[in-house]
PDB file of all heavy atoms in Angstrom:
ATOM      1  N   SER A 274     121.443  92.305 126.696  1.00 74.00           N
ATOM      2  CA  SER A 274     122.670  91.692 126.253  1.00 74.00           C
ATOM      3  C   SER A 274     122.426  90.628 125.151  1.00 74.00           C
ATOM      4  O   SER A 274     123.364  90.150 124.530  1.00 74.00           O
ATOM      5  CB  SER A 274     123.430  91.058 127.399  1.00 74.00           C
ATOM      6  OG  SER A 274     122.693  89.943 127.923  1.00 74.00           O
ATOM      7  N   LEU A 275     121.178  90.234 124.893  1.00 70.00           N
ATOM      8  CA  LEU A 275     120.914  89.199 123.894  1.00 70.00           C
ATOM      9  C   LEU A 275     120.972  89.691 122.462  1.00 70.00           C
ATOM     10  O   LEU A 275     121.058  88.874 121.553  1.00 70.00           O
ATOM     11  CB  LEU A 275     119.468  88.633 124.142  1.00 70.00           C
ATOM     12  CG  LEU A 275     119.304  87.717 125.318  1.00 70.00           C
ATOM     13  CD1 LEU A 275     117.860  87.286 125.427  1.00 70.00           C
ATOM     14  CD2 LEU A 275     120.216  86.526 125.214  1.00 70.00           C
ATOM     15  N   ASN A 276     120.942  90.972 122.232  1.00 63.00           N
ATOM     16  CA  ASN A 276     120.970  91.561 120.888  1.00 63.00           C
ATOM     17  C   ASN A 276     119.861  90.985 120.025  1.00 63.00           C
ATOM     18  O   ASN A 276     120.056  90.389 119.004  1.00 63.00           O
ATOM     19  CB  ASN A 276     122.344  91.298 120.212  1.00 63.00           C
ATOM     20  CG  ASN A 276     122.519  92.091 118.956  1.00 63.00           C
ATOM     21  OD1 ASN A 276     121.773  93.034 118.711  1.00 63.00           O
ATOM     22  ND2 ASN A 276     123.505  91.742 118.151  1.00 63.00           N
ATOM     23  N   LEU A 277     118.649  91.182 120.467  1.00 60.00           N
ATOM     24  CA  LEU A 277     117.478  90.667 119.762  1.00 60.00           C
ATOM     25  C   LEU A 277     117.154  91.404 118.481  1.00 60.00           C
ATOM     26  O   LEU A 277     116.466  90.866 117.616  1.00 60.00           O
ATOM     27  CB  LEU A 277     116.265  90.682 120.711  1.00 60.00           C
ATOM     28  CG  LEU A 277     116.342  89.812 121.931  1.00 60.00           C
ATOM     29  CD1 LEU A 277     115.143  90.019 122.833  1.00 60.00           C
ATOM     30  CD2 LEU A 277     116.456  88.360 121.539  1.00 60.00           C
ATOM     31  N   LYS A 278     117.668  92.583 118.277  1.00 60.00           N
ATOM     32  CA  LYS A 278     117.371  93.346 117.106  1.00 60.00           C
ATOM     33  C   LYS A 278     117.797  92.648 115.815  1.00 60.00           C
ATOM     34  O   LYS A 278     117.045  92.565 114.848  1.00 60.00           O
ATOM     35  CB  LYS A 278     118.001  94.733 117.162  1.00 60.00           C
ATOM     36  CG  LYS A 278     117.599  95.625 116.019  1.00 60.00           C
ATOM     37  CD  LYS A 278     118.255  96.983 116.161  1.00 60.00           C
ATOM     38  CE  LYS A 278     117.844  97.988 115.126  1.00 60.00           C
ATOM     39  NZ  LYS A 278     117.617  97.534 113.815  1.00 60.00           N
ATOM     40  N   SER A 279     118.968  92.067 115.808  1.00 60.00           N
ATOM     41  CA  SER A 279     119.455  91.387 114.602  1.00 60.00           C
ATOM     42  C   SER A 279     118.589  90.166 114.313  1.00 60.00           C
ATOM     43  O   SER A 279     118.330  89.806 113.162  1.00 60.00           O
ATOM     44  CB  SER A 279     120.940  90.964 114.723  1.00 60.00           C
ATOM     45  OG  SER A 279     121.061  90.051 115.783  1.00 60.00           O
ATOM     46  N   ASN A 280     118.137  89.436 115.343  1.00 66.00           N
ATOM     47  CA  ASN A 280     117.303  88.285 115.170  1.00 66.00           C
ATOM     48  C   ASN A 280     115.922  88.715 114.613  1.00 66.00           C
ATOM     49  O   ASN A 280     115.329  88.018 113.782  1.00 66.00           O
ATOM     50  CB  ASN A 280     117.108  87.514 116.454  1.00 66.00           C
ATOM     51  CG  ASN A 280     118.396  86.846 116.902  1.00 66.00           C
ATOM     52  OD1 ASN A 280     119.297  86.630 116.070  1.00 66.00           O
ATOM     53  ND2 ASN A 280     118.475  86.521 118.162  1.00 66.00           N
ATOM     54  N   ILE A 281     115.419  89.834 115.062  1.00 70.00           N
ATOM     55  CA  ILE A 281     114.120  90.320 114.600  1.00 70.00           C
ATOM     56  C   ILE A 281     114.162  90.679 113.130  1.00 70.00           C
ATOM     57  O   ILE A 281     113.253  90.370 112.368  1.00 70.00           O
ATOM     58  CB  ILE A 281     113.673  91.534 115.459  1.00 70.00           C
ATOM     59  CG1 ILE A 281     113.274  91.039 116.858  1.00 70.00           C
ATOM     60  CG2 ILE A 281     112.466  92.238 114.812  1.00 70.00           C
ATOM     61  CD1 ILE A 281     113.004  92.166 117.840  1.00 70.00           C
ATOM     62  N   ASP A 282     115.274  91.338 112.707  1.00 75.00           N
ATOM     63  CA  ASP A 282     115.400  91.705 111.277  1.00 75.00           C
ATOM     64  C   ASP A 282     115.451  90.444 110.398  1.00 75.00           C
ATOM     65  O   ASP A 282     114.820  90.384 109.356  1.00 75.00           O
ATOM     66  CB  ASP A 282     116.671  92.528 111.072  1.00 75.00           C
ATOM     67  CG  ASP A 282     116.565  93.885 111.676  1.00 75.00           C
ATOM     68  OD1 ASP A 282     115.420  94.368 111.875  1.00 75.00           O
ATOM     69  OD2 ASP A 282     117.608  94.534 111.898  1.00 75.00           O
ATOM     70  N   ALA A 283     116.202  89.434 110.818  1.00 77.00           N
ATOM     71  CA  ALA A 283     116.284  88.191 110.041  1.00 77.00           C
ATOM     72  C   ALA A 283     114.943  87.486 110.007  1.00 77.00           C
ATOM     73  O   ALA A 283     114.529  86.985 108.927  1.00 77.00           O
ATOM     74  CB  ALA A 283     117.357  87.286 110.645  1.00 77.00           C
ATOM     75  N   GLU A 284     114.255  87.396 111.092  1.00 78.00           N
ATOM     76  CA  GLU A 284     112.946  86.743 111.146  1.00 78.00           C
ATOM     77  C   GLU A 284     111.935  87.503 110.301  1.00 78.00           C
ATOM     78  O   GLU A 284     111.112  86.913 109.604  1.00 78.00           O
ATOM     79  CB  GLU A 284     112.432  86.609 112.602  1.00 78.00           C
ATOM     80  CG  GLU A 284     113.202  85.631 113.423  1.00 78.00           C
ATOM     81  CD  GLU A 284     112.941  84.178 112.988  1.00 78.00           C
ATOM     82  OE1 GLU A 284     111.844  83.889 112.425  1.00 78.00           O
ATOM     83  OE2 GLU A 284     113.793  83.344 113.245  1.00 78.00           O
ATOM     84  N   SER A 285     111.989  88.817 110.333  1.00 79.00           N
ATOM     85  CA  SER A 285     111.069  89.641 109.561  1.00 79.00           C
ATOM     86  C   SER A 285     111.275  89.397 108.077  1.00 79.00           C
ATOM     87  O   SER A 285     110.279  89.219 107.303  1.00 79.00           O
ATOM     88  CB  SER A 285     111.268  91.116 109.882  1.00 79.00           C
ATOM     89  OG  SER A 285     110.524  91.935 109.043  1.00 79.00           O
ATOM     90  N   LEU A 286     112.509  89.337 107.614  1.00 81.00           N
ATOM     91  CA  LEU A 286     112.798  89.079 106.212  1.00 81.00           C
ATOM     92  C   LEU A 286     112.328  87.662 105.812  1.00 81.00           C
ATOM     93  O   LEU A 286     111.676  87.486 104.798  1.00 81.00           O
ATOM     94  CB  LEU A 286     114.276  89.238 105.926  1.00 81.00           C
ATOM     95  CG  LEU A 286     114.743  88.849 104.526  1.00 81.00           C
ATOM     96  CD1 LEU A 286     114.022  89.630 103.470  1.00 81.00           C
ATOM     97  CD2 LEU A 286     116.249  89.012 104.385  1.00 81.00           C
ATOM     98  N   ARG A 287     112.647  86.698 106.656  1.00 81.00           N
ATOM     99  CA  ARG A 287     112.253  85.291 106.370  1.00 81.00           C
ATOM    100  C   ARG A 287     110.709  85.196 106.247  1.00 81.00           C
ATOM    101  O   ARG A 287     110.194  84.562 105.313  1.00 81.00           O
ATOM    102  CB  ARG A 287     112.768  84.398 107.503  1.00 81.00           C
ATOM    103  CG  ARG A 287     112.240  82.994 107.495  1.00 81.00           C
ATOM    104  CD  ARG A 287     112.830  82.171 106.425  1.00 81.00           C
ATOM    105  NE  ARG A 287     112.318  80.768 106.580  1.00 81.00           N
ATOM    106  CZ  ARG A 287     112.714  79.774 105.856  1.00 81.00           C
ATOM    107  NH1 ARG A 287     113.644  79.950 104.947  1.00 81.00           N
ATOM    108  NH2 ARG A 287     112.200  78.619 106.006  1.00 81.00           N
ATOM    109  N   ASN A 288     110.006  85.834 107.192  1.00 80.00           N
ATOM    110  CA  ASN A 288     108.531  85.747 107.187  1.00 80.00           C
ATOM    111  C   ASN A 288     107.953  86.447 105.933  1.00 80.00           C
ATOM    112  O   ASN A 288     107.003  85.970 105.336  1.00 80.00           O
ATOM    113  CB  ASN A 288     107.948  86.354 108.446  1.00 80.00           C
ATOM    114  CG  ASN A 288     108.190  85.508 109.643  1.00 80.00           C
ATOM    115  OD1 ASN A 288     108.464  84.321 109.539  1.00 80.00           O
ATOM    116  ND2 ASN A 288     108.152  86.126 110.823  1.00 80.00           N
ATOM    117  N   SER A 289     108.534  87.598 105.552  1.00 80.00           N
ATOM    118  CA  SER A 289     108.009  88.268 104.390  1.00 80.00           C
ATOM    119  C   SER A 289     108.268  87.463 103.091  1.00 80.00           C
ATOM    120  O   SER A 289     107.449  87.463 102.175  1.00 80.00           O
ATOM    121  CB  SER A 289     108.571  89.682 104.247  1.00 80.00           C
ATOM    122  OG  SER A 289     109.974  89.675 104.001  1.00 80.00           O
ATOM    123  N   VAL A 290     109.404  86.756 103.027  1.00 80.00           N
ATOM    124  CA  VAL A 290     109.688  85.930 101.834  1.00 80.00           C
ATOM    125  C   VAL A 290     108.724  84.751 101.792  1.00 80.00           C
ATOM    126  O   VAL A 290     108.170  84.429 100.727  1.00 80.00           O
ATOM    127  CB  VAL A 290     111.146  85.421 101.883  1.00 80.00           C
ATOM    128  CG1 VAL A 290     111.387  84.317 100.871  1.00 80.00           C
ATOM    129  CG2 VAL A 290     112.100  86.570 101.631  1.00 80.00           C
ATOM    130  N   VAL A 291     108.447  84.144 102.947  1.00 80.00           N
ATOM    131  CA  VAL A 291     107.519  83.000 102.990  1.00 80.00           C
ATOM    132  C   VAL A 291     106.109  83.475 102.605  1.00 80.00           C
ATOM    133  O   VAL A 291     105.433  82.815 101.831  1.00 80.00           O
ATOM    134  CB  VAL A 291     107.497  82.344 104.373  1.00 80.00           C
ATOM    135  CG1 VAL A 291     106.359  81.360 104.533  1.00 80.00           C
ATOM    136  CG2 VAL A 291     108.841  81.672 104.649  1.00 80.00           C
ATOM    137  N   LEU A 292     105.683  84.604 103.130  1.00 80.00           N
ATOM    138  CA  LEU A 292     104.332  85.115 102.778  1.00 80.00           C
ATOM    139  C   LEU A 292     104.248  85.482 101.290  1.00 80.00           C
ATOM    140  O   LEU A 292     103.231  85.203 100.624  1.00 80.00           O
ATOM    141  CB  LEU A 292     104.022  86.363 103.604  1.00 80.00           C
ATOM    142  CG  LEU A 292     103.454  86.126 104.994  1.00 80.00           C
ATOM    143  CD1 LEU A 292     103.324  87.443 105.770  1.00 80.00           C
ATOM    144  CD2 LEU A 292     102.122  85.455 104.912  1.00 80.00           C
ATOM    145  N   ARG A 293     105.284  86.100 100.761  1.00 78.00           N
ATOM    146  CA  ARG A 293     105.251  86.476  99.349  1.00 78.00           C
ATOM    147  C   ARG A 293     105.170  85.201  98.481  1.00 78.00           C
ATOM    148  O   ARG A 293     104.501  85.186  97.445  1.00 78.00           O
ATOM    149  CB  ARG A 293     106.495  87.284  98.995  1.00 78.00           C
ATOM    150  CG  ARG A 293     106.431  87.800  97.561  1.00 78.00           C
ATOM    151  CD  ARG A 293     107.589  88.726  97.319  1.00 78.00           C
ATOM    152  NE  ARG A 293     107.638  89.147  95.940  1.00 78.00           N
ATOM    153  CZ  ARG A 293     107.187  90.277  95.470  1.00 78.00           C
ATOM    154  NH1 ARG A 293     106.678  91.167  96.294  1.00 78.00           N
ATOM    155  NH2 ARG A 293     107.295  90.582  94.204  1.00 78.00           N
ATOM    156  N   GLY A 294     105.847  84.138  98.836  1.00 77.00           N
ATOM    157  CA  GLY A 294     105.806  82.894  98.110  1.00 77.00           C
ATOM    158  C   GLY A 294     104.465  82.177  98.260  1.00 77.00           C
ATOM    159  O   GLY A 294     104.036  81.436  97.355  1.00 77.00           O
ATOM    160  N   ALA A 295     103.784  82.377  99.395  1.00 77.00           N
ATOM    161  CA  ALA A 295     102.557  81.652  99.649  1.00 77.00           C
ATOM    162  C   ALA A 295     101.316  82.332  99.071  1.00 77.00           C
ATOM    163  O   ALA A 295     100.341  81.679  98.718  1.00 77.00           O
ATOM    164  CB  ALA A 295     102.381  81.455 101.150  1.00 77.00           C
ATOM    165  N   ILE A 296     101.319  83.650  98.989  1.00 75.00           N
ATOM    166  CA  ILE A 296     100.149  84.390  98.575  1.00 75.00           C
ATOM    167  C   ILE A 296     100.384  84.954  97.156  1.00 75.00           C
ATOM    168  O   ILE A 296     101.284  85.718  96.927  1.00 75.00           O
ATOM    169  CB  ILE A 296      99.838  85.544  99.536  1.00 75.00           C
ATOM    170  CG1 ILE A 296      99.585  85.003 100.954  1.00 75.00           C
ATOM    171  CG2 ILE A 296      98.653  86.361  99.051  1.00 75.00           C
ATOM    172  CD1 ILE A 296      99.445  86.078 101.985  1.00 75.00           C
ATOM    173  N   SER A 297      99.519  84.550  96.244  1.00 69.00           N
ATOM    174  CA  SER A 297      99.612  85.005  94.855  1.00 69.00           C
ATOM    175  C   SER A 297      98.207  85.308  94.343  1.00 69.00           C
ATOM    176  O   SER A 297      97.312  84.475  94.409  1.00 69.00           O
ATOM    177  CB  SER A 297     100.305  83.949  94.016  1.00 69.00           C
ATOM    178  OG  SER A 297     100.343  84.364  92.677  1.00 69.00           O
ATOM    179  N   VAL A 298      98.042  86.484  93.776  1.00 71.00           N
ATOM    180  CA  VAL A 298      96.782  86.888  93.174  1.00 71.00           C
ATOM    181  C   VAL A 298      97.073  87.248  91.714  1.00 71.00           C
ATOM    182  O   VAL A 298      97.786  88.209  91.428  1.00 71.00           O
ATOM    183  CB  VAL A 298      96.178  88.110  93.919  1.00 71.00           C
ATOM    184  CG1 VAL A 298      94.883  88.539  93.258  1.00 71.00           C
ATOM    185  CG2 VAL A 298      95.961  87.794  95.379  1.00 71.00           C
ATOM    186  N   PHE A 299      96.502  86.450  90.797  1.00 71.00           N
ATOM    187  CA  PHE A 299      96.729  86.616  89.362  1.00 71.00           C
ATOM    188  C   PHE A 299      98.194  86.656  88.990  1.00 71.00           C
ATOM    189  O   PHE A 299      98.655  87.458  88.194  1.00 71.00           O
ATOM    190  CB  PHE A 299      96.009  87.899  88.830  1.00 71.00           C
ATOM    191  CG  PHE A 299      94.550  87.901  89.072  1.00 71.00           C
ATOM    192  CD1 PHE A 299      93.974  88.832  89.949  1.00 71.00           C
ATOM    193  CD2 PHE A 299      93.728  86.949  88.487  1.00 71.00           C
ATOM    194  CE1 PHE A 299      92.631  88.847  90.159  1.00 71.00           C
ATOM    195  CE2 PHE A 299      92.358  86.974  88.688  1.00 71.00           C
ATOM    196  CZ  PHE A 299      91.804  87.909  89.540  1.00 71.00           C
ATOM    197  N   GLY A 300      98.986  85.788  89.629  1.00 67.00           N
ATOM    198  CA  GLY A 300     100.392  85.671  89.326  1.00 67.00           C
ATOM    199  C   GLY A 300     101.286  86.684  90.009  1.00 67.00           C
ATOM    200  O   GLY A 300     102.476  86.639  89.866  1.00 67.00           O
ATOM    201  N   LYS A 301     100.712  87.608  90.777  1.00 71.00           N
ATOM    202  CA  LYS A 301     101.479  88.609  91.519  1.00 71.00           C
ATOM    203  C   LYS A 301     101.173  88.494  93.004  1.00 71.00           C
ATOM    204  O   LYS A 301     100.062  88.166  93.367  1.00 71.00           O
ATOM    205  CB  LYS A 301     101.178  90.006  91.045  1.00 71.00           C
ATOM    206  CG  LYS A 301     101.700  90.326  89.672  1.00 71.00           C
ATOM    207  CD  LYS A 301     101.560  91.806  89.378  1.00 71.00           C
ATOM    208  CE  LYS A 301     102.336  92.160  88.123  1.00 71.00           C
ATOM    209  NZ  LYS A 301     102.376  93.598  87.933  1.00 71.00           N
ATOM    210  N   SER A 302     102.144  88.830  93.793  1.00 68.00           N
ATOM    211  CA  SER A 302     101.924  88.779  95.234  1.00 68.00           C
ATOM    212  C   SER A 302     101.740  90.207  95.792  1.00 68.00           C
ATOM    213  O   SER A 302     102.501  91.105  95.476  1.00 68.00           O
ATOM    214  CB  SER A 302     103.137  88.139  95.933  1.00 68.00           C
ATOM    215  OG  SER A 302     102.934  88.119  97.324  1.00 68.00           O
ATOM    216  N   PRO A 303     100.722  90.395  96.612  1.00 73.00           N
ATOM    217  CA  PRO A 303     100.492  91.706  97.213  1.00 73.00           C
ATOM    218  C   PRO A 303     101.447  92.010  98.373  1.00 73.00           C
ATOM    219  O   PRO A 303     101.465  93.108  98.908  1.00 73.00           O
ATOM    220  CB  PRO A 303      99.059  91.654  97.689  1.00 73.00           C
ATOM    221  CG  PRO A 303      98.827  90.219  97.973  1.00 73.00           C
ATOM    222  CD  PRO A 303      99.641  89.477  96.980  1.00 73.00           C
ATOM    223  N   VAL A 304     102.241  91.026  98.774  1.00 71.00           N
ATOM    224  CA  VAL A 304     103.145  91.139  99.898  1.00 71.00           C
ATOM    225  C   VAL A 304     104.527  91.606  99.395  1.00 71.00           C
ATOM    226  O   VAL A 304     105.077  91.039  98.471  1.00 71.00           O
ATOM    227  CB  VAL A 304     103.275  89.823 100.656  1.00 71.00           C
ATOM    228  CG1 VAL A 304     104.251  89.939 101.828  1.00 71.00           C
ATOM    229  CG2 VAL A 304     101.919  89.330 101.146  1.00 71.00           C
ATOM    230  N   SER A 305     105.048  92.691 100.012  1.00 74.00           N
ATOM    231  CA  SER A 305     106.415  93.105  99.665  1.00 74.00           C
ATOM    232  C   SER A 305     107.433  92.485 100.617  1.00 74.00           C
ATOM    233  O   SER A 305     107.117  92.153 101.764  1.00 74.00           O
ATOM    234  CB  SER A 305     106.499  94.623  99.698  1.00 74.00           C
ATOM    235  OG  SER A 305     106.287  95.095 101.010  1.00 74.00           O
ATOM    236  N   ILE A 306     108.627  92.337 100.117  1.00 74.00           N
ATOM    237  CA  ILE A 306     109.682  91.752 100.935  1.00 74.00           C
ATOM    238  C   ILE A 306     110.254  92.850 101.813  1.00 74.00           C
ATOM    239  O   ILE A 306     110.682  93.901 101.352  1.00 74.00           O
ATOM    240  CB  ILE A 306     110.781  91.127 100.069  1.00 74.00           C
ATOM    241  CG1 ILE A 306     110.211  89.917  99.313  1.00 74.00           C
ATOM    242  CG2 ILE A 306     111.976  90.720 100.902  1.00 74.00           C
ATOM    243  CD1 ILE A 306     111.182  89.199  98.411  1.00 74.00           C
ATOM    244  N   SER A 307     110.235  92.573 103.123  1.00 72.00           N
ATOM    245  CA  SER A 307     110.769  93.543 104.108  1.00 72.00           C
ATOM    246  C   SER A 307     112.253  93.221 104.355  1.00 72.00           C
ATOM    247  O   SER A 307     112.576  92.328 105.119  1.00 72.00           O
ATOM    248  CB  SER A 307     109.945  93.371 105.405  1.00 72.00           C
ATOM    249  OG  SER A 307     110.543  94.107 106.436  1.00 72.00           O
ATOM    250  N   CYS A 308     113.118  93.951 103.695  1.00 74.00           N
ATOM    251  CA  CYS A 308     114.541  93.653 103.739  1.00 74.00           C
ATOM    252  C   CYS A 308     115.308  94.868 104.229  1.00 74.00           C
ATOM    253  O   CYS A 308     115.136  95.968 103.746  1.00 74.00           O
ATOM    254  CB  CYS A 308     115.001  93.271 102.342  1.00 74.00           C
ATOM    255  SG  CYS A 308     116.724  92.788 102.285  1.00 74.00           S
ATOM    256  N   LYS A 309     116.167  94.632 105.211  1.00 75.00           N
ATOM    257  CA  LYS A 309     117.067  95.659 105.687  1.00 75.00           C
ATOM    258  C   LYS A 309     118.497  95.197 105.449  1.00 75.00           C
ATOM    259  O   LYS A 309     118.865  94.096 105.837  1.00 75.00           O
ATOM    260  CB  LYS A 309     116.826  95.898 107.182  1.00 75.00           C
ATOM    261  CG  LYS A 309     117.694  97.017 107.737  1.00 75.00           C
ATOM    262  CD  LYS A 309     117.462  97.216 109.209  1.00 75.00           C
ATOM    263  CE  LYS A 309     118.415  98.295 109.689  1.00 75.00           C
ATOM    264  NZ  LYS A 309     118.929  98.051 111.003  1.00 75.00           N
ATOM    265  N   THR A 310     119.274  96.045 104.802  1.00 76.00           N
ATOM    266  CA  THR A 310     120.660  95.686 104.479  1.00 76.00           C
ATOM    267  C   THR A 310     121.484  95.570 105.764  1.00 76.00           C
ATOM    268  O   THR A 310     121.355  96.427 106.649  1.00 76.00           O
ATOM    269  CB  THR A 310     121.267  96.730 103.552  1.00 76.00           C
ATOM    270  OG1 THR A 310     120.453  96.883 102.401  1.00 76.00           O
ATOM    271  CG2 THR A 310     122.673  96.376 103.164  1.00 76.00           C
ATOM    272  N   GLN A 311     122.269  94.525 105.822  1.00 77.00           N
ATOM    273  CA  GLN A 311     123.162  94.325 106.966  1.00 77.00           C
ATOM    274  C   GLN A 311     124.572  94.638 106.485  1.00 77.00           C
ATOM    275  O   GLN A 311     125.113  93.930 105.645  1.00 77.00           O
ATOM    276  CB  GLN A 311     123.051  92.900 107.461  1.00 77.00           C
ATOM    277  CG  GLN A 311     123.976  92.604 108.610  1.00 77.00           C
ATOM    278  CD  GLN A 311     123.941  91.129 109.009  1.00 77.00           C
ATOM    279  OE1 GLN A 311     123.331  90.317 108.331  1.00 77.00           O
ATOM    280  NE2 GLN A 311     124.575  90.805 110.100  1.00 77.00           N
ATOM    281  N   ASN A 312     125.181  95.698 107.012  1.00 80.00           N
ATOM    282  CA  ASN A 312     126.539  96.048 106.674  1.00 80.00           C
ATOM    283  C   ASN A 312     127.505  95.288 107.565  1.00 80.00           C
ATOM    284  O   ASN A 312     127.420  95.418 108.798  1.00 80.00           O
ATOM    285  CB  ASN A 312     126.786  97.548 106.768  1.00 80.00           C
ATOM    286  CG  ASN A 312     125.944  98.315 105.820  1.00 80.00           C
ATOM    287  OD1 ASN A 312     125.802  97.920 104.667  1.00 80.00           O
ATOM    288  ND2 ASN A 312     125.381  99.440 106.273  1.00 80.00           N
ATOM    289  N   VAL A 313     128.408  94.514 106.983  1.00 81.00           N
ATOM    290  CA  VAL A 313     129.354  93.720 107.726  1.00 81.00           C
ATOM    291  C   VAL A 313     130.755  94.057 107.259  1.00 81.00           C
ATOM    292  O   VAL A 313     130.983  94.131 106.039  1.00 81.00           O
ATOM    293  CB  VAL A 313     129.070  92.197 107.555  1.00 81.00           C
ATOM    294  CG1 VAL A 313     130.092  91.366 108.295  1.00 81.00           C
ATOM    295  CG2 VAL A 313     127.660  91.865 108.041  1.00 81.00           C
ATOM    296  N   CYS A 314     131.683  94.201 108.159  1.00 83.00           N
ATOM    297  CA  CYS A 314     133.058  94.395 107.829  1.00 83.00           C
ATOM    298  C   CYS A 314     133.909  93.305 108.467  1.00 83.00           C
ATOM    299  O   CYS A 314     133.904  93.130 109.668  1.00 83.00           O
ATOM    300  CB  CYS A 314     133.526  95.747 108.327  1.00 83.00           C
ATOM    301  SG  CYS A 314     135.252  96.087 108.010  1.00 83.00           S
TER     302      CYS A 314
END
């Protein structure tokens, strides 16, 4: 009943953005942003 899936997607995106910003090799980051579109009506 906690609906943890939506929290996991948000945390995954946040962590990938932080990693991409923290790790840079020759001006490029080897980390890709893990983003899943959230459809809201």
Side-chain angles (χ1 to χ4, degrees):
S274 68
L275 286 179
N276 191 15
L277 295 175
K278 186 178 183 323
S279 64
N280 292 340
I281 290 172
D282 290 339
E284 289 291 333
S285 174
L286 174 58
R287 169 75 177 185
N288 290 339
S289 66
V290 167
V291 170
L292 276 174
R293 185 173 175 102
I296 300 173
S297 177
V298 178
F299 301 116
K301 289 191 170 188
S302 179
V304 179
S305 64
I306 294 179
S307 171
C308 183
K309 182 180 178 217
T310 303
Q311 178 185 10
N312 296 319
V313 178
C314 177

